[in-house]
Structures are given as structure tokens and as C-alpha cells.
Amino acid sequence: MKRIQEIRKITNKPYLNLYEAKAVGKDGEIFPYYFATRKKEEEIKAKTFSKAPDGVAVYSVYGEEMDRLVLVKQFRYPINSYIYELPAGLVDPGETDKEAGIREMREETGLDLTVYEGGNPDIRSAFYTTVGMSDESVSLIFGYAEGKPSKQYMEETEDIQVILADKEEVKRILHEERVAMKCALLMLQFLQGEKGNPFGFLDI
């Protein structure tokens, strides 16, 4: 049974648009389903079934002991507040997700990223973020950050503070602050990590 009969674009904005799908439920009933996407109309994943990542999020450790996690505290307009996240951003046309991770780390934090290539390669594929309302998918990039935090490369519209959090600070943030879901899950992983082996959990 065909689960989508038609998709209609509702808005025409530069970076994000709303679509209405004529959806078919498992009982055969037709109903409207609304979703948002950054993709061009001919590239939305409901049509192409592409698994290519739209963006990246970077899980990186910092310091000689690799005992601090690089986070950003960023103002986000949908919640009208600051929230803790991993450095992240969109993959530019012609760019690999690895290249995007290195670039986004530099732009948002001023730090240099050396990508960790180990671990099971199967987990390098993109994962969906908020699939109930968007087709967005994100690749996780892992690595080691070095240098001095800087706002030199940050866009004017971004309001970001760089946080180099040790385990005690990570615990405090999880208990007291607003935290994005994928960031929270990886913060929990950071707390369970072995000393000197920050990416051991990727060997699955």
C-alpha cells in the first residue's frame, strides 16, 4: 500500500519549509500530515529515500588527559533560551560529513579537530533527529579538539559560549540545565568512559 499519495509545499522560505503530505494510515484512511525540511522540493527524503546526512554533530574530547568534553551553550529562538549542545551544523554542497565536522568545530568554537577514525564503521551513517516532524538526519563525528576557544570564526547571528566540561561539570549540566537530546545521551556516555580511552564505546 502506498503510504503517501501526494506532497504539497506550503511555504517558500530560504532555509526551512513546511510540507503537507496526503498520508494513508494503516487502516487505509487518508489524512493530512505536516513536516518540515531543509531540502529542495525535489530532494525531500519522502521522495528520494536518501540516507545522506543534512548535518553533523561533533563529539570531541579536549586536553592532554582527554578528560573534558567540548560543548556549546547556544541561544535557540524556538525555546527563547540557552541550551547545551554539541558543536554542530549543516553539510555544505560538495562537502563530506568529516569536512563539515572539522569546519563547524572551527566556526563555533575556534578549536581544531582531529577526527577519530576508529570504531565500528557502521555507526558512521547518518541518524534521524526529530523524525516525527522533519526528515533531517545528522552524522556523528568523533575526535580530539585542541587550541584555544575563540569567537573569531563565529557568524554574527550566532550566540554561542564554548564550554570545556569535565565530568563534574557535565553532571551539573545534566541535572540543572537545558540540554539537547543527542548531546545529553553522549554526555552520559562521556561520564561512563574509561580514562585514556574516550572512544571505546564505538567498538561495538
Side-chain angles (χ1 to χ4, degrees):
M1 178 174 59
K2 191 175 181 180
R3 299 299 297 267
I4 295 179
Q5 293 188 350
E6 179 183 313
I7 300 175
R8 180 174 67 91
K9 190 176 183 181
I10 295 176
T11 61
N12 189 28
K13 302 298 180 182
Y15 305 113
L16 183 70
N17 281 289
L18 182 66
Y19 285 77
E20 180 185 63
K22 185 183 286 186
V24 182
K26 61 183 180 181
D27 58 0
E29 292 294 316
I30 296 174
F31 63 96
Y33 194 99
Y34 300 93
F35 66 93
T37 181
R38 299 180 189 276
K39 294 291 189 184
K40 296 177 181 178
E41 191 166 1
E42 66 275 12
E43 296 175 345
I44 59 177
K45 293 176 183 176
K47 293 181 178 181
T48 67
F49 300 98
S50 169
K51 292 185 178 180
D54 303 296
V56 293
V58 183
Y59 177 94
S60 61
V61 291
Y62 182 89
E64 289 185 7
E65 300 296 321
M66 299 177 289
D67 57 352
R68 282 179 282 174
L69 184 63
V70 180
L71 304 172
V72 293
K73 183 180 180 182
Q74 183 165 195
F75 187 87
R76 291 296 196 180
Y77 290 95
I79 61 171
N80 196 24
S81 182
Y82 288 91
I83 187 169
Y84 285 80
E85 304 176 72
L86 298 172
L90 297 177
V91 178
D92 288 342
E95 189 176 46
T96 67
D97 50 359
K98 177 180 174 180
E99 291 168 342
I102 293 170
R103 175 181 53 76
E104 287 293 345
M105 175 64 85
R106 170 62 69 88
E107 290 177 0
E108 293 197 349
T109 71
L111 300 174
D112 295 318
L113 179 71
T114 300
V115 174
Y116 174 72
E117 303 281 6
N120 191 321
D122 293 341
I123 59 174
R124 297 288 191 247
S125 61
F127 295 95
Y128 293 91
T129 54
T130 312
V131 74
M133 60 185 293
S134 175
D135 66 352
E136 182 182 58
S137 62
V138 171
S139 285
L140 289 170
I141 306 298
F142 302 90
Y144 308 93
E146 59 183 354
K148 185 177 179 181
S150 169
K151 296 185 178 183
Q152 179 181 352
Y153 307 99
M154 202 176 296
E155 295 180 12
E156 287 298 320
T157 55
E158 293 178 316
D159 183 354
I160 296 174
Q161 301 169 40
V162 182
I163 310 294
L164 304 176
D166 62 15
K167 288 191 174 183
E168 288 305 310
E169 178 63 2
V170 165
K171 289 178 186 178
R172 185 199 69 78
I173 292 168
L174 285 169
H175 281 285
E176 300 177 9
E177 305 286 355
R178 292 179 174 87
V179 184
M181 174 63 80
K182 59 181 175 282
C183 180
L185 292 173
L186 286 164
M187 289 169 76
L188 291 169
Q189 187 61 60
F190 174 74
L191 292 176
Q192 297 299 316
E194 301 175 16
K195 185 175 182 180
N197 185 25
F199 306 117
F201 63 95
L202 298 178
D203 297 319
I204 58 173

